């Protein structure tokens, strides 16, 4: 027997009125209510996901997007994708500016013009982004015995997914585009477990082996040919605060890795320290000081400490 549904009476609703009152109170709303400049729409995650899908198809044709591309028709596919990317990206940059109440978003017609200019400036960086990513794929293939080809690293490896997002987000970051670079970075973070701030500067031929739990901070600088393993942190020490107790932002606070540095799993490097070229940082080492070029830093043996011990040249 099907039970009879009894509609809720109005007498059952009043308890919710008190919840509404509390949630709509000024004290409750003030820290969470967000209104964009000019009441513009928020940046769209769906549109940014589409932009990233199209960018991957442009950067790696045949791997992503249409899989049966022929050389004779590649210009058609490329042109269509680039046109769509440009238009959608300009709109998302505009929305990001309104979200962050950026200076360029103060007046609508100016905002649209500057957003389009930033989008076009980014589009002109795509050949260089592809060149850098090709070098990353090469590093992944040459640095991992399990990789059967550079193509496998492009299509399968979390390092390449994270770096594709990062190199795109970083160029937008350099163009002072608010919010959008962070959203793009967080897409890769949620998919791969690799957390790279869009502000980090990373040289070519970069590879993160395995990758889960790797963190690279905003002001980190990584040279050419560097390699990290899972669980590596390139982070900052305690942040300085101003007289009002607010964190001081915009100062270099993350490590510098010179060329050809390898950092093994679980290592933590903190502060504006420099790891010299060609150095090897062993697993689970805690580093908060400069390391000379060509060094090898490992845990002390037969000790509970995780302070790195210099044992000689790499």
């Amino acid at each position: 027997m099907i039970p009879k549904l009894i509609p809720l009476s109005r007498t059952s609703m009043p308890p919710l009125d008190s919840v509404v009152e509390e949630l709509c109170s000024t004290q409750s709303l003030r820290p969470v209510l967000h209104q964009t400049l000019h009441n513009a729409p928020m940046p769209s995650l769906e549109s940014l996901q589409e932009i990233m899908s199209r960018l991957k198809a442009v950067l790696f044709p045949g791997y992503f997007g249409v899989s049966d591309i022929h050389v004779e028709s590649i210009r058609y596919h490329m042109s269509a994708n680039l046109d769509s990317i440009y238009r959608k990206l300009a709109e998302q940059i505009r929305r990001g500016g309104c979200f962050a109440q950026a200076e360029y978003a103060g007046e609508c017609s100016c905002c649209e013009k500057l957003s389009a200019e930033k989008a076009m400036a980014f589009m002109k960086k795509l050949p260089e982004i592809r060149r850098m990513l090709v070098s990353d794929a090469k590093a992944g293939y040459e640095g991992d015995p399990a990789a059967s080809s550079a193509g496998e690293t492009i299509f399968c490896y979390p390092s390449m997914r994270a770096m594709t997002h990062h190199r795109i987000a970083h160029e937008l970051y350099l163009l002072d585009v608010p919010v959008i670079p962070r959203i793009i970075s967080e897409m890769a973070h949620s998919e791969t477990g690799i957390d790279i701030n869009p502000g980090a500067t990373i040289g070519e031929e970069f590879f993160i082996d395995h990758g889960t739990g790797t963190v690279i901070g905003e002001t980190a600088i990584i040279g050419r040919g560097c390699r990290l393993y899972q669980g590596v942190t390139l982070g900052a020490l305690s942040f300085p605060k101003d007289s009002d107790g607010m964190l001081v932002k915009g100062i270099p606070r993350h490590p510098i890795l010179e060329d050809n540095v390898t950092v093994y799993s679980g290592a933590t490097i903190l502060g504006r320290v420099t790891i010299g070229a060609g150095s090897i940082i062993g697993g689970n080492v805690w580093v908060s000081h400069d390391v000379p070029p060509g060094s090898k830093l490992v845990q002390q043996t037969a000790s509970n400490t995780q302070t790195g011990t210099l044992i000689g040249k790499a």
Side-chain angles (χ1 to χ4, degrees):
M1 181 177 178
I2 300 176
K4 185 178 179 180
L5 296 178
I6 302 174
L8 291 173
S9 66
R10 289 185 176 275
T11 57
S12 65
M13 298 299 290
L16 289 178
D17 291 343
S18 62
V19 178
V20 172
E21 286 300 316
E22 287 189 53
L23 291 176
C24 291
S25 70
T26 302
Q27 182 179 3
S28 179
L29 279 177
R30 185 180 292 114
V32 298
L33 178 64
H34 178 76
Q35 293 178 297
T36 60
L37 200 64
H38 310 304
N39 291 319
M42 293 277 286
S44 167
L45 296 180
E46 293 77 13
S47 290
L48 288 168
Q49 286 168 347
E50 180 183 345
I51 288 168
M52 288 304 302
S53 294
R54 289 182 177 274
L55 281 168
K56 289 173 185 177
V58 165
L59 294 167
F60 300 111
Y63 287 95
F64 304 101
V66 179
S67 59
D68 60 344
I69 289 180
H70 302 285
V71 175
E72 296 79 9
S73 62
I74 195 167
R75 282 182 175 273
Y76 166 78
H77 293 288
M78 195 75 71
S79 296
N81 262 332
L82 289 173
D83 180 71
S84 179
I85 291 165
Y86 166 69
R87 295 177 186 277
K88 291 179 182 295
L89 182 60
E91 170 62 15
Q92 294 309 307
I93 291 174
R94 183 184 73 82
R95 292 188 184 194
C98 291
F99 172 88
Q101 300 188 11
E103 184 177 346
Y104 71 82
E107 198 275 318
C108 287
S109 61
C110 179
C111 178
E112 289 186 6
K113 178 176 180 292
L114 287 174
S115 297
E117 289 176 355
K118 287 177 183 290
M120 184 54 69
F122 168 79
M123 301 298 284
K124 291 179 179 179
K125 291 290 187 179
L126 287 174
E128 175 62 11
I129 291 173
R130 177 190 277 175
R131 187 189 70 81
M132 296 288 281
L133 287 171
V134 167
S135 78
D136 296 334
K138 173 176 175 287
Y141 170 58
E142 293 179 351
D144 185 1
S148 62
S149 66
E152 181 182 344
T153 68
I154 292 170
F155 193 57
C156 304
Y157 277 36
S159 177
M160 281 301 298
R161 182 162 303 195
M163 287 309 297
T164 299
H165 280 247
H166 174 71
R167 296 208 184 277
I168 288 167
H170 184 64
E171 291 300 335
L172 292 169
Y173 175 94
L174 293 178
L175 290 167
D176 292 323
V177 173
V179 182
I180 305 303
R182 172 66 89 170
I183 295 173
I184 291 172
S185 292
E186 290 303 327
M187 288 178 185
H189 182 195
S190 65
E191 293 176 11
T192 66
I194 298 170
D195 183 1
I196 309 177
N197 188 285
T201 301
I202 302 178
E204 57 193 77
E205 297 184 21
F206 179 68
F207 179 52
I208 307 174
D209 205 341
H210 305 295
T212 306
T214 296
V215 177
I216 301 174
E218 180 184 24
T219 61
I221 299 176
I222 299 176
R224 176 175 182 159
C226 289
R227 180 173 180 172
L228 310 183
Y229 283 76
Q230 69 272 19
V232 167
T233 297
L234 304 183
L237 294 166
S238 299
F239 302 111
K241 296 182 179 181
D242 61 21
S243 57
D244 296 323
M246 300 295 290
L247 294 178
V248 177
K249 298 179 182 286
I251 59 174
R253 57 192 188 279
H254 298 97
I256 298 172
L257 272 57
E258 295 183 341
D259 294 349
N260 302 308
V261 169
T262 298
V263 185
Y264 282 96
S265 59
T268 299
I269 306 175
L270 299 180
R272 195 59 165 185
V273 300
T274 298
I275 309 300
S279 293
I280 296 174
I281 306 299
N284 299 313
V285 169
W286 182 286
V287 184
S288 57
H289 55 81
D290 290 344
V291 175
S295 299
K296 185 174 183 180
L297 200 65
V298 300
Q299 277 189 328
Q300 290 179 342
T301 58
S303 172
N304 291 325
T305 182
Q306 290 188 342
T307 302
T309 301
L310 185 64
I311 65 170
K313 297 297 183 180

